[in-house]
Amino acid sequence: MTHFSAMSLLKNAISGHKNWPEQWPDKQPKDEYDVIIVGAGGHGLGAAYYLAKEHGITNVAVIEKGWLGGGNTGRNTTIIRSNYLYDESARLFDHALDLWENLSTELNYNVMYSKRGVMMLAHNVHDVQSFQRHIHANRLNDVDNRWLTPKEAKAFCPPLNISPDARYPVMGAALQQRAGTARHDAVAWGYARAAAKRGVDIIQNCPVISIRRGADGAVEGVETGKGFIKARKVAVSAAGHTSVVMDSAGVRMPLESYPLQALVSEPIKPVFPCVVMSNTVHAYISQSDKGELVIGSGTDQYTSYSQRGGLPLIEHTVAAICEVFPIFNRMRMLRKWGGIVDVTPDRSAILGKTPVRGLYVNCGWGTGGFKATPGAAHTLAWTVAKDEPHPINAPFTLERFTTGRLIDEAAAAAVAH
Amino acid sequence: MLLIQCPYCDDALPELEFAYAGEAHIDRPQDPSALSDEEWRDFLFIRSNVKGVHAERWRHINGCGRFFNALRDTVSDRFVTSYKAGEPRPDTSGKEPAQ
Ligand SMILES: Cc1cc2nc3c(=O)[nH]c(=O)nc-3n(C[C@H](O)[C@H](O)[C@H](O)COP(=O)(O)OP(=O)(O)OC[C@H]3O[C@@H](n4cnc5c(N)ncnc54)[C@H](O)[C@@H]3O)c2cc1C
Ligand SMILES: [Zn+2]
């Protein structure tokens, strides 16, 4: 595997970029692994990388039913931020943000993390109060977040319509300057390449059909499209399909899977300097480095595994974008798609051990888990390696739905990305 | 857009007229104070989230306003049937989802 550097780039440029070696080998499964990770999204691949790098566990397979990064990792709108209300969430997402800072160097792969700032618009008194509460809570947790007046918001994002007679008047905004975006595919590819380099097998086009448990109840391995593979530790990181995979191990999950859609416009010159979210009108927008406007909204109303979603939602989202940014009302949209997101009742993730020995789960990231990728992967690897919670993921248990100790970001934010 | 059959209006109407209301046939506990924490968890939070035919509640919110149940295939999003609230889940074994 070549190390990417100015030298290797130059060398390959001279030979017309025809001699780049493969980034990671396409593996067939061995009979047995120490750890199997179900799902090659950013979270699963990242966990494999940290297992190898930080815990010296390299006999690891990441098993993916499609192609790596083809799930929500490759479908999301890449908003990265950490200004969540509760202490538990702030710690987890800020841990991820710390890891994002150096990820490109660490992986020797440019994930294009861009701290362009994420601004959340307040359109009514309730928004103002709730965002200011977030800002105060964030400050106590040493998490970057500050209040902008409408004028300051407009200065930060010139296309914004702050006219007082707008359909959705802007009464202010919360700005996390340290937040931003990253290139989603590069995150999956970077982790895959770095994990493979350390000996992890990445097995694609191989669905995990069920998890096999022994007479003592503990995990024995997984039945897959390519036969049975033995492992005493299995970590499920299958996003929208988590309920299905966990059911096969006899663990019923507090999850519902919904379509979440996004769309992009034709590419245009740089016009939009940051990310803007509006929870109240259910729309958010940024501009990719390719020039496309990247637009998203809330989930469709019904549960589904169809990876599509319906047009009424797109219509609603685009209408809101045109109201808040009239400059875009003649833009043409290029394509739209959907992913399946796994939503928990409190809109916080489930990350840790399960009642089954040797079975771990990382799920429930719903509409907002891309930003958590390095943090979730890093603490999941710890939990799998040591068979105990990491201090940061410890509150995100499955048991909280029995004990009632919810981390209720649902009530705090109404929607979350 | 989904076309949804309201069993009260007896008509297939656009999704915009309806609000989804979660999994169907989850009965409220008869004797709440007798429930264990695990039973409360199951009632409040655990959902079947099936990949396949799902029994779910819908409300014809911009129409007759009534709740009803429907069976829908969550892979294709095609409805199999809808039926009135209070009726048992129809046996559709062997029946293909409607086209
Ligand atoms: C349209 C959209 C916009 C979003 N926007 C944002 C955003 O702006 N910011 C943000 O933070 N988050 C966002 N999200 C959420 C984010 O994408 C996810 O939370 C995150 O990417 C989840 O990563 P993952 O690695 O857990 O899941 P995935 O990338 O979905 O990986 C799970 C993998 O498991 C595989 N799998 C499933 N079942 C099996 C099986 N039985 N056997 C083998 N493999 C299996 C899947 O094929 C998939 O590749 C968005 C999501 C969508 C859909
Ligand atoms: Zn009706």
Side-chain angles (χ1 to χ4, degrees), chain A residues 319-397:
Chain A
I321 291 290
C322 291
E323 288 289 344
V324 182
F325 306 101
I327 182 181
F328 293 140
N329 67 18
R330 293 171 70 189
M331 287 290 296
R332 278 171 301 195
M333 293 298 143
L334 218 52
R335 58 180 195 279
K336 74 132 189 125
W337 63 91
I340 298 301
V341 298
D342 44 331
V343 176
T344 58
D346 62 359
R347 303 295 189 276
S348 288
I350 301 168
L351 209 188
K353 298 172 68 165
T354 69
V356 177
R357 190 144 51 83
L359 183 63
Y360 307 85
V361 71
N362 166 49
C363 67
W365 290 101
T367 59
F370 177 71
K371 62 178 72 68
T373 304
H378 183 250
T379 62
L380 174 63
W382 166 296
T383 297
V384 172
K386 299 187 193 286
D387 194 37
E388 60 187 47
H390 183 284
I392 289 176
N393 70 26
F396 293 85
T397 58

Side-chain angles (χ1 to χ4, degrees), chain A residues 65 240-241 243-244 247 252-259 300-312 315 342 345 398 400-404 406, chain B residues 1-2 4 15-23 36-42 44-52 54 56 58 72-77:
Chain A
K65 71 180 161 87
H241 279 79
S243 299
V244 181
D247 265 350
R252 298 190 66 211
M253 299 296 290
L255 291 171
E256 289 188 294
S257 297
Y258 291 92
D300 276 85
Q301 54 172 339
Y302 49 86
T303 61
S304 176
Y305 290 85
S306 68
Q307 279 196 148
R308 287 165 75 164
L311 278 171
E315 189 181 353
D342 44 331
L398 188 53
R400 72 178 188 270
F401 298 98
T402 313
T403 61
L406 304 186
Chain B
M1 172 145 30
L2 303 179
I4 303 175
E15 182 194 333
L16 282 173
E17 296 195 11
F18 297 86
Y20 182 72
E23 186 167 357
S36 68
D37 287 353
E38 285 71 22
E39 286 166 324
W40 272 118
R41 171 200 63 200
D42 291 353
L44 290 172
F45 301 131
I46 302 290
R47 295 294 175 263
S48 67
N49 201 20
V50 286
K51 188 173 182 178
H54 185 234
E56 58 198 25
W58 285 86
R72 180 178 54 93
D73 183 342
T74 60
V75 178
S76 63
D77 288 339

Side-chain angles (χ1 to χ4, degrees), chain B residues 4-11 13 17-18 59-68:
Chain B
I4 303 175
Q5 177 80 23
C6 172
Y8 297 103
C9 299
D10 198 19
D11 207 354
L13 297 157
E17 296 195 11
F18 297 86
R59 186 175 181 206
H60 192 185
I61 193 158
N62 295 315
C64 65
R66 301 180 75 171
F67 281 94
F68 60 92

Side-chain angles (χ1 to χ4, degrees), chain A residues 263-268 291-295 331-335:
Chain A
L263 68 163
V264 292
S265 73
E266 57 191 343
I268 49 169
E292 303 154 325
L293 298 178
V294 180
I295 296 171
M331 287 290 296
R332 278 171 301 195
M333 293 298 143
L334 218 52
R335 58 180 195 279

